Amino acid sequence: MIRDALLLVLLLAQLPATALLLSRLLRGPSRYPPLQPKTPTPEQLGAVSVVVPTLNEAERLTPCLDGLSRQSYEVREILVVDSYSTDRTPELVKTAQEADPRFRLLNDDPLPKDWVGRPWALHHGFLSSAEKSDWVLGIDADTQPQPGLVASLLETAQREGYDLISLAPQFLLKYPGELLLHPALLLTLVYRFGPAGETGNRPDRVMANGQCFFCRRSQLAQVGGYTVARRSFCDDVTLARAIAAQGAKVAFLDGANLLKVRMYEGAAETWREWGRSLDLKDAASPGQVWGDWLLLLAVQGLPIPIVLLLLRDVISGGSAPVVLAAFSLNVLLVLIRVGLTFAISPSCDLTHASSAWLFWLSPLADPIAVLRLFLSSLQTPTQWRGRSYEKG
């Protein structure tokens, strides 16, 4: 039968994809443990400059400013680089400065044609930061830094010899649609690169998160600041891979105990804003992008539809061996996905969620997440955070 032949082809594709997935997930128990809050030591005094890029962030900036103000004396300065916001963002920063003189409000220069706004603002902050600071920490406006964050980053980097650390945060989820879609999108990263705390990836497979990007000043200077990522809509991964390629020791670690983030409001914004950059095409070759997508299709997008398609045949009995084999393999992949839902649950704060139980049904959104990455891989963003960009 044609269907059995198609199932055999699918099975031959899924078997090596499953083996690759398992090789990544089985390294999870040996990953670097989640970071914990730390208290700074005297020799860390003034070691870090923090840079926060902003553009019309008034609705979510206050928790970020409050969290940064609770960091201790290891933070020399907090530079908020504002791209001429038209809301109350500048006023919020000025109010924070009255209580904490480490805050400084800067405006970046007009955006050059060959730059994306976020790396341009971060580059301006890097160039404006104090040269006496040995480290530069990029923090996004939608984050909520917890006490002890910066001291923990410093202590970990100094103990382990890291030149760059970025953190996977704890995501604050609220609305039903995002409770389904966000975990599915998040797990596309785990399927491709392994869990946070995985430090053994090649430079071209390094993961990073610009919401908390902690780097030695000397390493940033060596690559020319953020210039290498100037046209990238995933500038964090682009920059991290460029730094790793120069021999630096780079880590993407679990920071759920140190950093919370409220990224997007609802499923529509999650689909539109996060989905368009998760393909990471600006930091990878086309072969990597499409190879990763085929892996996701095989082990994340297809298992639930295949199980549902074959369930009646298996229950009725008398199924061909290839049907039983395909059904069994895809049941295994669904069980892996269910297990990963439990594994990522500490990375998702559901305390303010309506219908929090929908989080546990997020495997049903996997085909949608894989479709979103397919569409993203075909497109070049022309709009981002209220700015328009030319293609090319």
Side-chain angles (χ1 to χ4, degrees):
M1 294 177 59
I2 295 177
R3 189 186 70 161
D4 288 355
L6 292 175
L7 284 176
L8 179 60
V9 172
L10 174 66
L11 193 61
L12 292 175
Q14 283 186 308
L15 282 170
T18 302
L20 177 58
L21 173 64
L22 290 174
S23 72
R24 292 171 178 168
L25 298 181
L26 289 174
R27 296 199 300 265
S30 62
R31 70 188 180 114
Y32 200 93
L35 299 192
Q36 303 296 328
K38 298 291 183 181
T39 301
T41 55
E43 62 271 16
Q44 295 173 347
L45 175 66
V48 181
S49 289
V50 179
V51 178
V52 185
T54 59
L55 176 59
N56 295 327
E57 301 285 2
E59 292 186 2
R60 55 184 182 176
L61 181 60
T62 297
C64 178
L65 300 179
D66 290 345
L68 289 174
S69 70
R70 292 197 296 269
Q71 306 305 308
S72 190
Y73 54 74
E74 72 279 9
V75 174
R76 178 186 299 273
E77 58 186 353
I78 305 167
L79 309 180
V80 181
V81 183
D82 187 61
S83 298
Y84 297 93
S85 294
T86 56
D87 63 4
R88 295 185 58 254
T89 296
E91 286 73 17
L92 292 176
V93 180
K94 291 175 183 177
T95 299
Q97 186 177 14
E98 293 175 358
D100 187 339
R102 293 178 298 176
F103 284 99
R104 287 171 53 198
L105 177 64
L106 308 175
N107 291 115
D108 50 3
D109 295 329
L111 182 66
K113 188 176 181 179
D114 60 339
W115 280 77
V116 173
R118 186 177 180 279
W120 174 245
L122 288 165
H123 186 66
H124 184 87
F126 165 64
L127 295 178
S128 302
S129 62
E131 293 185 1
K132 292 182 179 179
S133 295
D134 295 326
W135 297 84
V136 177
L137 172 60
I139 284 283
D140 276 3
D142 56 5
T143 62
Q144 300 177 15
Q146 303 302 299
L149 163 67
V150 180
S152 181
L153 288 166
L154 262 177
E155 193 270 341
T156 303
Q158 291 167 344
R159 184 182 67 250
E160 303 293 343
Y162 290 130
D163 301 295
L164 189 161
I165 299 175
S166 65
L167 296 184
Q170 185 178 63
F171 298 96
L172 297 163
L173 304 182
K174 291 185 179 180
Y175 302 120
E178 69 191 72
L179 287 164
L180 286 169
L181 182 59
H182 180 99
L185 288 171
L186 176 62
L187 276 170
T188 66
L189 295 172
V190 177
Y191 276 73
R192 286 178 284 170
F193 306 107
E198 170 58 60
T199 58
N201 284 333
R202 304 189 315 264
D204 63 339
R205 301 294 294 177
V206 161
M207 257 306 294
N209 177 21
Q211 291 167 329
C212 182
F213 196 92
F214 184 69
C215 190
R216 289 187 193 273
R217 169 181 293 278
S218 59
Q219 288 293 335
L220 274 177
Q222 190 172 339
V223 297
Y226 287 79
T227 55
V228 70
R230 63 184 178 274
R231 289 293 299 171
S232 178
F233 287 93
C234 55
D235 56 275
D236 43 10
V237 180
T238 301
L239 183 58
R241 291 180 177 180
I243 290 173
Q246 294 196 346
K249 191 174 181 181
V250 175
F252 176 58
L253 304 180
D254 186 340
N257 299 313
L258 300 172
L259 190 72
K260 295 179 182 288
V261 60
R262 176 69 181 150
M263 286 177 62
Y264 303 119
E265 296 294 328
E269 192 176 5
T270 301
W271 168 276
R272 183 177 64 252
E273 298 294 343
W274 199 25
R276 81 174 84 187
S277 63
L278 271 178
D279 61 292
L280 305 182
K281 60 180 172 287
D282 291 342
S285 68
Q288 286 179 324
V289 171
W290 290 110
D292 282 349
W293 183 79
L294 288 172
L295 172 73
L296 291 175
L297 180 65
V299 299
Q300 187 180 7
L302 289 177
I304 288 181
I306 294 298
V307 167
L308 294 176
L309 179 67
L310 300 180
L311 184 59
R312 177 187 292 183
D313 290 352
V314 173
I315 291 176
S316 64
S319 300
V322 68
V323 173
L324 291 174
F327 180 80
S328 300
L329 179 61
N330 282 276
V331 167
L332 172 64
L333 289 168
V334 172
L335 291 175
I336 290 173
R337 174 60 172 88
V338 171
L340 287 173
T341 306
F342 283 90
I344 67 168
S345 60
S347 297
C348 298
D349 185 338
L350 309 180
T351 55
H352 300 290
S354 57
S355 304
W357 56 272
L358 287 170
F359 170 84
W360 303 104
L361 298 182
S362 64
L364 298 176
D366 282 1
I368 299 173
V370 175
L371 172 64
R372 183 63 184 98
L373 265 70
F374 174 76
L375 296 175
S376 177
S377 299
L378 293 174
Q379 301 167 347
T380 299
T382 58
Q383 291 188 340
W384 192 270
R385 293 294 190 186
R387 280 174 160 156
S388 297
Y389 299 94
E390 298 179 3
K391 291 185 177 181

